[in-house]
C-alpha cells in the first residue's frame, strides 16, 4: 500500500490514509455550476472582474475534479480493488503526512 517500510506499520498508515480520504470526500463540496456563474457574472468590458471570477471558479472546479477522482481511487487501491499507481501512492503519503502530494 501507500505505507513505507512494509509490515504492520505500513498497514496502519494505509488505514489512516484510507479513513482520511473518506472524511475528505464527505467534506468536499460539489463543483460550481459554471452556467449559473455566467448568468450572475456576465462577461462585460466594464466588469472585467467577472472574467477573473469565472476563471477562478473554473480552476477551483478542476481541483475539485481531481480530488473527487483521486480519493475514491486511492481508497479502492488500499483495499486491493485497483492497482496502486505511483500517483495514488503519493496521494496516500500526502494524506498520512498532511502534505500536498
Amino acid at each position: 500500500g501507500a505505507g513505507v517500510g512494509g509490515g504492520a506499520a505500513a498497514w496502519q498508515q494505509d488505514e489512516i490514509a484510507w479513513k482520511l480520504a473518506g472524511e475528505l470526500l464527505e467534506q468536499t463540496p460539489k463543483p460550481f455550476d459554471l452556467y449559473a456563474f455566467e448568468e450572475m457574472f456576465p462577461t462585460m468590458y466594464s466588469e472585467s472582474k467577472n472574467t477573473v471570477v469565472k476563471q477562478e471558479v473554473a480552476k477551483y472546479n478542476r481541483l475539485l475534479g481531481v480530488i473527487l477522482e483521486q480519493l475514491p481511487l486511492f481508497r479502492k487501491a488500499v483495499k486491493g480493488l485497483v492497482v496502486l499507481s505511483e500517483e495514488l501512492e503519493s496521494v496516500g503519503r500526502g494524506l498520512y503526512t498532511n502534505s500536498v502530494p
Side-chain angles (χ1 to χ4, degrees):
V4 178
W11 178 84
Q12 183 180 19
Q13 181 176 334
D14 286 349
E15 287 301 308
I16 290 169
W18 184 86
K19 183 179 177 187
L20 286 171
E23 291 172 4
L24 286 173
L25 277 171
E26 290 175 5
Q27 297 170 15
T28 301
K30 294 188 184 323
F32 286 106
D33 180 352
L34 294 177
Y35 294 109
F37 263 83
E38 179 60 39
E39 289 180 22
M40 290 188 293
F41 302 100
T43 303
M44 298 175 0
Y45 181 77
S46 61
E47 292 290 341
S48 59
K49 72 176 179 349
N50 289 358
T51 301
V52 174
V53 167
K54 288 186 292 189
Q55 289 171 341
E56 293 304 312
V57 167
K59 290 179 195 176
Y60 185 72
N61 278 355
R62 281 193 300 275
L63 175 61
L64 290 177
V66 170
I67 291 169
L68 294 171
E69 178 185 338
Q70 294 294 314
L71 292 180
L73 280 175
F74 170 74
R75 287 172 56 93
K76 287 179 181 179
V78 168
K79 297 301 181 189
L81 302 174
V82 297
V83 175
L84 181 66
S85 66
E86 190 175 315
E87 184 176 2
L88 291 177
E89 190 168 350
S90 176
V91 168
R93 247 189 328 272
L95 286 167
Y96 187 75
T97 61
N98 196 29
S99 61
V100 177

